[in-house]
Amino acid sequence: MMEDMAFADYDYEFAQDEEGEDYLDYYDEDVYELPVGESWEEEEEETNMSTGASMSELYEYCVVPTVSDSSQHLYSLLAWSLIFLLTTRIVRPPAWLVHLMSATCGGIVTWGMFGHRCSYMVCLLAVGGLVLSLSHFVLKSRRGPFTCVSCVAFLIACELWLADPVDWHSIRGPQMIILMKVVSVGFDLDSSSLSRLPNILEMVGYILNPGTVIFGPWISFSSYKRVLQPFSWNLRLVLGVIIHLITCMIFLLLSTCFALWMVPDSINKWAQAFRDAFSFRSSHYFVSYLSVTSAQLSGLDIREVARPAYIEIPRSLVEVVVYWNMPMHYWLKTYIFKTARNWFGIFWAILFTYSMSSLFHGLNFQLAAVLLSLGFYTYVEHSLRVKLASIFDACVLARPCPEKCHHQYKKWSWIGIFINISFSVLAMVHLAYLGIMFDSNSQEQETGYSLSHTLKIV
């Protein structure tokens, strides 16, 4: 990513990648796990309604408590994001004051969410910043890899020895965002996308920006620096924030209240699997739209994080991993996969990327199993569909062909429709199978799922 490409960070209309880059993404529960303390989790369990409840009971005992409780927890995040926007864009303060306000507002939000657990985040920031600075001034090369290895080593040390399991699990998401931001600065310095190492105030303002510090999404340092530019006030911004906020609450209610209410436990296991997987995906969409809302309220130019339509009715698993979390897909593709591909080749670079993603999440067998399964599935699917497209001369690749492609049979031909629908159904089945591993009723949810728990569900 070069300096003149700063505005391309959120251009996610990726073309068909013949080198396998579209295999990459997180199936990321931890980054999008709601880090709000035990009281909310307990209240959500109490408000999950059985399928025998009437609509009025569902509204009274689930919808109202869920909206009320979530509003209380999210008020601080949205309020401080807006405060940062108003205090730095109505007037034009000096750059150092903008970074200071970003760090202050983000610090207040983080402390309100996590309390003393913020100390882990401070330690990760200190480790990453120190290694980044030393590698920049002493080694003057490979700043990205050295920073990445150091941050992952710190996460593993906390996982095994330094942190309380419950406390650590509750802040894995923000820790992931910090790691991604620090590491991306190192790689951008290596590629000369950044001309200089950001100073301490710039780095802290970037990492603790209130719009991205809790739920993300990841943004590059170049994207963050746009907060220093004049801001365009318009009605479209206000409507966008309102629409995203309403959408995120709809997905929260679907996940918490309506999924279980609409699909009873008395039906067959596959229907329950689809229901539970949809509930899990809805919670992810909730946080995705919430992250867009908070980022836009803080003045960042974030358009979208996930595309639910492409996930619920997928063309392929390759598209699912691309549109599940687009900023993270871009991060993994840019900073991990492309680097590993130069060393190992495409196939091993894919496995390395998913393995690194697993390490970013900590020593969690469940997430590692899902990530590596997705890596294997998407590689096989991509390769198979390339061969089918060649044999039948049809538009049946994992990613859609451009409008003017060389294939004889287009996507609306009978062979194109048949093959694409077949793979779509197969992708839905895979999503249901992988989604049920995230069992929200398990006691292990607070500390991460073990090998025995995951194999028992499988």
Side-chain angles (χ1 to χ4, degrees), residues 93-104 199 201-202 205 224 228:
W96 68 267
L97 187 56
V98 174
H99 298 308
L100 180 61
M101 280 299 301
S102 179
T104 301
N199 60 46
L201 191 57
E202 290 174 330
Y224 162 73
L228 302 177

Side-chain angles (χ1 to χ4, degrees), residues 328-433:
M328 291 181 181
H329 171 266
Y330 178 87
W331 189 92
L332 279 173
K333 186 174 90 170
T334 302
Y335 300 117
I336 303 299
F337 175 77
K338 288 184 178 180
T339 302
R341 184 181 59 191
N342 296 331
W343 297 343
F344 308 127
I346 294 175
F347 176 73
W348 291 107
I350 293 169
L351 294 183
F352 177 79
T353 302
Y354 279 99
S355 299
M356 288 299 296
S357 178
S358 301
L359 287 176
F360 295 164
H361 290 85
L363 304 179
N364 189 318
F365 180 83
Q366 174 217 39
L367 282 167
V370 170
L371 286 166
L372 293 176
S373 296
L374 277 173
F376 177 76
Y377 292 160
T378 52
Y379 179 79
V380 171
E381 180 189 33
H382 176 85
S383 302
L384 178 59
R385 293 181 76 159
V386 167
K387 293 182 179 179
L388 291 176
S390 177
I391 293 172
F392 294 104
D393 197 15
C395 295
V396 295
L397 295 170
R399 302 297 305 278
C401 294
E403 292 185 5
K404 297 181 180 180
C405 69
H406 65 276
H407 294 118
Q408 178 181 355
Y409 298 101
K410 306 302 180 183
K411 62 181 180 180
W412 296 116
S413 64
W414 69 269
I415 188 66
I417 292 175
F418 176 76
I419 294 178
N420 288 327
I421 289 180
S422 298
F423 277 100
S424 293
V425 173
L426 184 61
M428 293 178 187
V429 173
H430 280 139
L431 285 178
Y433 175 71

Side-chain angles (χ1 to χ4, degrees), residues 141-258:
S141 65
R142 300 199 180 279
R143 287 153 287 200
F146 277 112
T147 305
C148 184
V149 170
S150 301
C151 290
V152 171
F154 174 80
L155 297 182
I156 294 176
C158 289
E159 184 89 23
L160 295 177
W161 305 293
L162 303 179
D164 176 79
V166 175
D167 287 349
W168 180 251
H169 187 73
S170 69
I171 62 167
R172 276 178 173 170
Q175 293 282 71
M176 182 77 71
I177 298 298
I178 292 175
L179 181 148
M180 293 172 67
K181 288 181 176 180
V182 175
V183 170
S184 67
V185 170
F187 276 104
D188 287 346
L189 288 170
D190 290 336
S191 65
S192 300
S193 298
L194 290 178
S195 58
R196 63 175 181 83
L197 178 69
N199 60 46
I200 294 177
L201 191 57
E202 290 174 330
M203 279 295 294
V204 175
Y206 166 51
I207 291 172
L208 295 183
N209 179 266
T212 61
V213 67
I214 302 297
F215 298 108
W218 169 81
I219 59 172
S220 68
F221 182 75
S222 298
S223 298
Y224 162 73
K225 287 186 68 176
R226 295 174 202 166
V227 300
L228 302 177
Q229 300 173 1
F231 187 72
S232 177
W233 295 89
N234 52 61
L235 182 60
R236 183 179 178 182
L237 170 66
V238 178
L239 291 177
V241 169
I242 294 174
I243 291 173
H244 283 110
L245 186 58
I246 293 174
T247 304
C248 81
M249 296 307 298
I250 290 174
F251 280 119
L252 175 62
L253 293 177
L254 282 173
S255 175
T256 307
C257 301
F258 290 102

Side-chain angles (χ1 to χ4, degrees), residues 12 14 25 304-307 321-331:
Y12 301 114
F14 296 120
D25 196 20
E304 57 184 344
V305 170
R307 291 183 179 177
V321 299
V322 170
Y323 294 120
W324 178 262
N325 189 321
M326 292 183 288
M328 291 181 181
H329 171 266
Y330 178 87
W331 189 92

